Amino acid sequence: MKSFALSNSLPANPAVHRHLRPHPRLANLQCLQNGRAQCWPLINHFRTNGVLKVQTKGGIVKTLASIADVSLEQEMAKPNLPKGDMWSVHKFGGTCMGSSERIQNVANIVLRDPSERKLIIVSAMSKVTDMLYNLVCKAKSRDDLYMSALDEVFDKHMSAAKQLLEGEDLARFLARLHADVSNLRTMLRAIYIAGHATESFSDFVVGHGELWSAQMLSYAINKLGQPCSWMDTRDVLIVNPTGSDQVDPDYPKSEKKLKEWFSSHNPAGTIIATGFIASTADDVPTTLKRDGSDFSAAILGALIRARQVTIWTDVDGVYSADPRKVCEAVILPTLSYQEAWEMSYFGANVLHPRTIIPVMRLNIPIVIRNIFNLSAPGTVICEQPIDDTADYEMADNNSNKLVKAFATIDNLALVNVEGTGMAGVPGTASAIFSAVKEVGANVIMISQASSEHSVCFAVPEKEVGAVSTILHSRFRQALEAGRLSQVEVINNCCILAAVGQRMASTPGVSATLFDALAKANINVRAIAQGCSEYNITVVLKQEDCIRALRAAHSRFYLSKTTLAVGVIGPGLIGATLLDQLRDQAAVLKEELNIDLRVMGVTGSSKMILSETGIDLTKWREMIKENPEKADLDRFAQHLQENHFFPNKVVVDCTADTEVANRYYEWLRQGIHVITPNKKANSGPLDRYLKLRALQRRSYTHYFYEATVGAGLPIISTLRGLLETGDKILRIEGIFSGTLSYIFNNFEGTRAFSEVVAEAKEAGYTEPDPRDDLSGTDVARKVIILARESGLKLELSDIPVQSLVPEPLSVCSTADEFMQKLPSFDAELAQERNNASDSGEVLRYVGVVDAVNQKGLVELKRYKRDHPFAQLSGSDNIIAFTTSRYKDQPLIVRGPGAGAEVTAGGVFSDILRLASYLGAPS
């Protein structure tokens, strides 16, 4: 042991030396003081005025008065590999390095980082890696165009360098570029002659893009006055190929190489390093494969124990779903490592899955930033953030944020191997997946029932042919013997994954997801969930992918509940509804999180369609000035094929039988139906029963509150009574607002024809008043209520007392009818006078007699103190007599006619549908 005489001296400002670190050879310094051996753990060394000093863990600084071995000071002078929070790591991808202007922008961002030390990892310029791969392919296929393609690569970099650099820096870079391209010509010529290239040859060629971009950035930063070094990471990163187009970093060897690089290069505080490229343990150039630059940044960040790794890209951060598929997707401020890993595995544009592993081990945060929007804070990937926990606890409904995000994988096939001979037989699954491995197929998801009767798994569709062939070959004997019943391939599939660390041990998440998919009429073909519960994976039809993604995203409140609405019949009621939707749209979005998009409006001859939603302030002008020819098939197809909106609803505001006949097919296609049109529910009984049966066995909704009583809650009241176990005995009511108005005003000496004319003038009647006076409309309402009560009646079973005099039923026009109606006033006047003499009034009513299984429509007399006699205007009134409400019927009363209240009833059904689909109620 060497001996030193030490003198005590404390530095005036110890903070000056705080950043210095001890040399590993001087971890402990044993000294002689006052003739006794003493040992201080050494934590620092520095030189002041040429005198070498050391600092011990006790904070004591000793000056070396005499040094027996000069080599020790030389050893201490060698640069050490600094580690820790002094480092920030930035990675810039090909888009960020795509031109001279963008490289200059990267240089400016690097200069603005105040970190003591900076390690910058860069990709090749945009598209260059693909161009270099293409060079190798052309040379292998003996395509003479490989030389001109190489010239394109050379020109791209020479042009960028001339715009970015000048003087000696430009000359040095161009000299290196010329030399590299010359070497590449020689190598590509050899590949051309051989018609073959080894993987190491290909990796050597394609790695040049990073070499050139790193050098250009290094020169650009030097030009701005900040000392800068550049690193060829093939000298530092050592990896071991593992097959399957992957490599594993060798961290001990890489750290040793990095220390040697620091020792030999003595780099500046800012280092520009190449992404993507590395070397094997035998010093053979290789790459980290596709998206390897992110991986490079994570590995190097782990080696130097960086404070954080920032990945610069062209998006503002990580989205809750692919914004190209879900326009309401939001930027996530934070993600846990596990959530980011799950999302990247399932195809989300976050990071390569392997990028997260090196930094996760050391709890180094990854920040995703947008180089084109520096004001955006980005997404931080780290351990589950504490403040995120607070956000969840403060939420009104914790389920809102249990699922952080959704990701999808398209173009998959599902392989199902099943048979009773699989149950309880060890090794069956092993044999299946060993066979799959032989053909190099990538198994993305596996699902097996506990009965072991079947195993299904998802593979890329392009690989399923080879998988099917080898499974049929491998299990030929089992298939022939019947131990396996089939090896089935289901093409055109996709995967939807719901990801969230807080899903773990939280009841109801799966139920919410499957409920959202069911309500969007989406069938789930297979399900998988790991015991970590960080994700739920479902396999769906490819055609349902976007619709499923939007439905799930909406259901978990990451976006609004969106309804794509198609309105049929922009007449009085339809036009009023569209105006109500226009006036209320902003309130619904802000307060109820409901986004109603009217995608189409059609009348009998003209229609307008939109891909994103019609501007309801201009729909009248649009349908007048730029309509298409009305076509109900195309109208429904337009609604159905818009995959950006998972929930579709047709609102039929007509009284058309042809439209009503289409309800069944629309419901079968997953399109909800809302209507005030009575034709479907009062038409042929078998068609009605078929419609209701379809509704009950699916998650497609059919709402028709406004068919009886306009905006009054008649249907919902009746259903509430029945669903709670009450028994309907009788329903009696004034169901026609028009006839209510007429008989409320048919008093004193007024003539019936006079009151009808007044009602027609006021807009209460149909254009032809016979449509109201015939009683058919009331009969339809009676049959609807009768069927809702469980009676199987046809419209023809309802006796109707018509108020149209028989001779006038054949009048060719409404005007002719109105001219001749006064001739028949006497009969009704006599009936009114008879009722009045008895203290009664006339009311036109419909009756459902559930006890006797019948219904009727008639003109009936009521005492003046009866609720039916006390109506005014066009009010409706309905009395429900039930087992619970036997002595005093349950009465619903209110306006039962008019465009405003009818449209309001339809609007209410639309909001009820939105509530069923996930909006807050």
Side-chain angles (χ1 to χ4, degrees):
M1 178 66 64
K2 301 295 181 183
S3 297
F4 302 96
L6 298 176
S7 63
N8 293 323
S9 65
L10 292 174
N13 183 5
V16 172
H17 312 290
R18 188 174 299 149
H19 67 282
L20 297 174
R21 294 171 180 253
H23 195 281
R25 289 275 299 273
L26 300 177
N28 286 280
L29 185 65
Q30 187 171 9
C31 309
L32 286 176
Q33 186 174 28
N34 299 326
R36 298 176 61 190
Q38 299 205 8
C39 180
W40 287 278
L42 185 64
I43 66 167
N44 221 332
H45 67 275
F46 48 92
R47 181 177 292 280
T48 303
N49 296 325
V51 179
L52 185 64
K53 298 184 179 183
V54 295
Q55 183 178 5
T56 68
K57 279 189 177 179
I60 301 172
V61 175
K62 303 293 184 181
T63 301
L64 298 179
S66 64
I67 300 178
D69 191 347
V70 178
S71 66
L72 183 59
E73 182 176 356
Q74 295 171 341
E75 183 72 22
M76 294 169 67
K78 286 185 177 181
N80 189 23
L81 173 60
K83 295 182 181 180
D85 288 353
M86 68 181 71
W87 283 103
S88 67
V89 175
H90 297 264
K91 179 264 173 177
F92 295 93
T95 304
C96 304
M97 302 288 291
S99 65
S100 58
E101 293 83 3
R102 290 184 179 180
I103 294 174
Q104 186 63 57
N105 185 40
V106 169
N108 294 334
I109 290 172
V110 172
L111 258 64
R112 284 196 290 268
D113 182 352
S115 300
E116 182 182 343
R117 287 185 174 271
K118 292 169 276 192
L119 179 59
I120 316 301
I121 290 87
V122 295
S123 298
M125 293 180 72
S126 180
K127 308 298 182 186
V128 166
T129 301
D130 289 336
M131 293 169 74
L132 292 170
Y133 271 119
N134 189 42
L135 282 178
V136 176
C137 290
K138 285 181 182 297
K140 284 196 296 185
S141 62
R142 294 184 174 137
D143 184 343
D144 292 327
L145 293 176
Y146 78 92
M147 283 298 184
S148 59
L150 179 58
D151 290 337
E152 287 181 30
V153 175
F154 173 80
D155 291 342
K156 182 181 180 76
H157 288 85
M158 183 175 67
S159 174
K162 286 182 176 180
Q163 295 174 42
L164 187 67
L165 309 176
E166 57 189 23
E168 291 186 8
D169 288 346
L170 176 60
R172 282 196 294 268
F173 175 77
L174 291 180
R176 174 66 183 263
L177 181 64
H178 276 287
D180 287 345
V181 170
S182 178
N183 290 337
L184 288 177
R185 287 187 199 281
T186 303
M187 180 170 286
L188 290 168
R189 179 63 181 167
I191 294 172
Y192 178 91
I193 293 170
H196 172 73
T198 64
E199 184 178 2
S200 59
F201 266 47
S202 297
D203 287 347
F204 177 79
V205 172
V206 300
H208 278 75
E210 279 70 21
L211 294 170
W212 297 327
S213 62
Q215 291 173 73
M216 280 196 287
L217 179 59
S218 175
Y219 285 129
I221 293 173
N222 271 312
K223 180 181 174 182
L224 293 174
Q226 182 168 113
C228 182
S229 305
W230 83 276
M231 174 195 293
D232 181 348
T233 49
R234 293 177 299 186
D235 299 333
V236 171
L237 291 186
I238 305 300
V239 297
N240 298 313
T242 60
S244 302
D245 204 33
Q246 285 192 353
V247 294
D248 284 339
D250 188 325
Y251 289 99
K253 288 183 180 178
S254 296
E255 184 168 10
K256 180 182 176 184
K257 287 278 191 178
L258 185 58
K259 287 179 179 179
E260 292 172 356
W261 188 89
F262 261 82
S263 179
S264 61
H265 286 76
N266 192 16
T270 299
I271 301 172
I272 312 300
T274 55
F276 182 56
I277 58 177
S279 294
T280 67
D282 299 325
D283 286 333
V284 176
T286 187
T287 68
L288 301 181
K289 312 310 173 188
R290 284 290 187 179
D291 300 314
S293 292
D294 288 351
F295 199 14
S296 300
I299 296 168
L300 289 168
L303 290 175
I304 60 176
R305 308 297 192 268
R307 181 178 70 257
Q308 74 177 33
V309 175
T310 303
I311 307 292
W312 291 90
T313 180
D314 56 358
V315 293
D316 285 345
V318 180
Y319 283 87
S320 54
D322 187 339
R324 295 167 299 182
K325 298 177 180 177
V326 182
C327 56
E328 297 90 355
V330 297
I331 296 291
L332 301 172
T334 58
L335 278 175
S336 70
Y337 293 118
Q338 290 82 3
E339 288 167 338
W341 191 92
E342 294 279 358
M343 288 180 65
S344 61
Y345 177 80
F346 284 102
N349 187 20
V350 184
L351 296 167
H352 191 279
R354 305 197 73 201
T355 301
I356 298 163
I357 298 171
V359 293
M360 183 170 64
R361 291 171 176 166
L362 298 168
N363 193 23
I364 298 172
I366 300 176
V367 184
I368 310 296
R369 294 285 306 276
N370 188 350
I371 194 169
F372 304 115
N373 183 14
L374 299 181
S375 63
T379 299
V380 179
I381 300 171
C382 55
E383 284 190 323
Q384 190 63 51
I386 296 175
D387 58 339
D388 198 34
T389 305
D391 289 343
Y392 278 86
E393 291 172 351
M394 291 171 62
D396 292 336
N397 185 342
N398 285 349
S399 68
N400 291 0
K401 294 183 179 178
L402 290 171
V403 176
K404 267 286 182 74
F406 296 88
T408 58
I409 304 178
D410 296 328
N411 304 316
L412 301 178
L414 198 62
V415 181
N416 182 43
V417 182
E418 66 178 57
T420 54
M422 293 173 58
V425 179
T428 302
S430 174
I432 292 171
F433 294 112
S434 294
V436 174
K437 181 182 177 183
E438 284 184 27
V439 296
N442 178 29
V443 176
I444 295 170
M445 189 208 82
I446 304 169
S447 180
Q448 180 179 17
S450 58
S451 67
E452 301 182 43
H453 177 260
S454 69
V455 175
C456 72
F457 54 93
V459 296
E461 204 161 31
K462 63 184 179 181
E463 298 174 359
V464 75
V467 171
S468 176
T469 299
I470 194 167
L471 289 177
H472 277 94
S473 172
R474 185 65 53 86
F475 293 100
R476 179 178 55 82
Q477 186 176 355
L479 287 164
E480 291 173 353
R483 296 193 304 276
L484 290 184
S485 58
Q486 66 172 343
V487 175
E488 179 188 14
V489 172
I490 305 171
N491 288 301
N492 300 314
C493 294
C494 71
I495 276 179
L496 169 67
V499 175
Q501 191 167 332
R502 295 181 182 276
M503 289 161 51
S505 304
T506 303
V509 179
S510 297
T512 303
L513 174 63
F514 294 125
D515 181 62
L517 296 177
K519 286 179 176 178
N521 201 39
I522 293 166
N523 180 49
V524 175
R525 287 179 162 172
I527 305 164
Q529 181 178 22
C531 61
S532 69
E533 300 183 57
Y534 289 163
N535 89 70
I536 302 170
T537 305
V538 295
V539 179
L540 314 165
K541 292 180 183 177
Q542 180 65 57
E543 64 194 60
D544 292 336
C545 182
I546 295 177
R547 197 154 50 91
L549 180 61
R550 291 185 60 86
H553 196 274
S554 296
R555 187 63 183 88
F556 283 90
Y557 294 86
L558 293 174
S559 66
K560 297 174 175 62
T561 299
T562 305
L563 266 176
V565 182
V567 176
I568 303 175
L572 190 57
I573 293 173
T576 304
L577 174 64
L578 288 167
D579 291 342
Q580 290 178 353
L581 292 174
R582 175 200 64 205
D583 296 340
Q584 200 66 8
V587 175
L588 292 176
K589 278 186 181 180
E590 185 174 340
E591 297 184 7
L592 295 179
N593 221 27
I594 298 171
D595 186 3
L596 299 179
R597 307 278 187 94
V598 177
M599 313 303 290
V601 178
T602 183
S604 58
S605 60
K606 299 182 290 187
M607 71 178 180
I608 51 174
L609 304 175
S610 171
E611 293 294 331
T612 57
I614 294 169
D615 182 351
L616 294 183
T617 64
K618 301 176 181 177
W619 72 267
R620 286 181 175 86
E621 293 85 347
M622 292 170 65
I623 203 166
K624 184 185 295 183
E625 297 169 4
N626 192 27
E628 300 181 35
K629 184 180 178 182
D631 183 336
L632 278 179
D633 290 329
R634 173 159 154 62
F635 184 83
Q637 183 181 19
H638 170 76
L639 204 62
Q640 173 67 17
E641 292 182 352
N642 192 322
H643 297 303
F644 285 96
F645 301 98
N647 307 305
K648 290 109 173 178
V649 57
V650 164
V651 180
D652 173 21
C653 296
T654 73
D656 193 281
T657 301
E658 181 190 348
V659 177
N661 289 341
R662 294 173 179 261
Y663 292 176
Y664 184 88
E665 183 60 26
W666 290 338
L667 290 169
R668 194 183 63 79
Q669 292 173 0
I671 301 175
H672 309 284
V673 176
I674 293 173
T675 186
N677 186 347
K678 307 170 192 65
K679 297 297 175 63
N681 286 11
S682 62
L685 179 63
D686 60 341
R687 184 174 293 174
Y688 165 79
L689 294 174
K690 183 180 177 184
L691 191 62
R692 292 302 308 276
L694 174 63
Q695 180 200 3
R696 290 190 183 100
R697 69 172 180 261
S698 72
Y699 277 87
T700 311
H701 297 285
Y702 172 41
F703 293 150
Y704 43 86
E705 182 70 75
T707 56
V708 181
L712 295 179
I714 306 301
I715 299 293
S716 55
T717 298
L718 175 56
R719 282 190 177 175
L721 293 170
L722 293 170
E723 289 168 0
T724 57
D726 204 352
K727 183 178 180 181
I728 302 298
L729 303 177
R730 183 181 180 88
I731 303 173
E732 186 172 356
I734 298 173
F735 295 104
S736 168
T738 302
L739 294 172
S740 176
Y741 178 88
I742 289 172
F743 284 99
N744 287 337
N745 289 277
F746 185 43
E747 296 281 349
T749 60
R750 297 191 70 184
F752 185 73
S753 60
E754 177 191 344
V755 178
V756 172
E758 179 182 281
K760 185 175 186 298
E761 183 69 24
Y764 286 115
T765 72
E766 293 294 332
D768 188 338
R770 286 176 293 182
D771 293 340
D772 298 295
L773 298 176
S774 68
T776 303
D777 185 66
V778 176
R780 289 188 182 279
K781 295 177 181 179
V782 168
I783 201 71
I784 289 171
L785 293 176
R787 289 173 175 177
E788 288 288 315
S789 303
L791 277 62
K792 292 183 171 55
L793 299 176
E794 293 282 8
L795 185 60
S796 58
D797 295 330
I798 307 295
V800 179
Q801 181 182 347
S802 174
L803 300 178
V804 178
E806 183 65 29
L808 301 187
S809 62
V810 295
C811 290
S812 59
T813 65
D815 290 340
E816 181 187 355
F817 167 76
M818 291 302 298
Q819 289 172 3
K820 295 180 177 180
L821 184 59
S823 305
F824 298 88
D825 282 343
E827 183 179 345
L828 275 174
Q830 182 62 47
E831 198 165 341
R832 176 191 61 194
N833 294 336
N834 292 340
S836 181
D837 292 344
S838 302
E840 296 175 326
V841 297
L842 295 178
R843 295 293 183 261
Y844 195 78
V845 298
V847 178
V848 176
D849 185 350
V851 175
N852 295 305
Q853 301 280 299
K854 66 179 184 178
L856 64 100
V857 176
E858 62 180 348
L859 186 63
K860 191 174 177 182
R861 292 161 58 166
Y862 291 90
K863 292 293 184 183
R864 288 192 176 274
D865 60 353
H866 191 280
F868 286 15
Q870 298 172 15
L871 291 184
S872 60
S874 61
D875 280 4
N876 282 185
I877 187 168
I878 295 90
F880 294 92
T881 303
T882 71
S883 296
R884 295 175 187 159
Y885 296 92
K886 185 180 294 185
D887 298 328
Q888 179 126 4
L890 173 64
I891 291 179
V892 179
R893 172 181 172 175
E900 288 288 339
V901 293
T902 304
V906 175
F907 198 168
S908 179
D909 271 350
I910 293 173
L911 296 183
R912 184 154 63 107
L913 173 62
S915 176
Y916 281 23
L917 296 173
S921 56

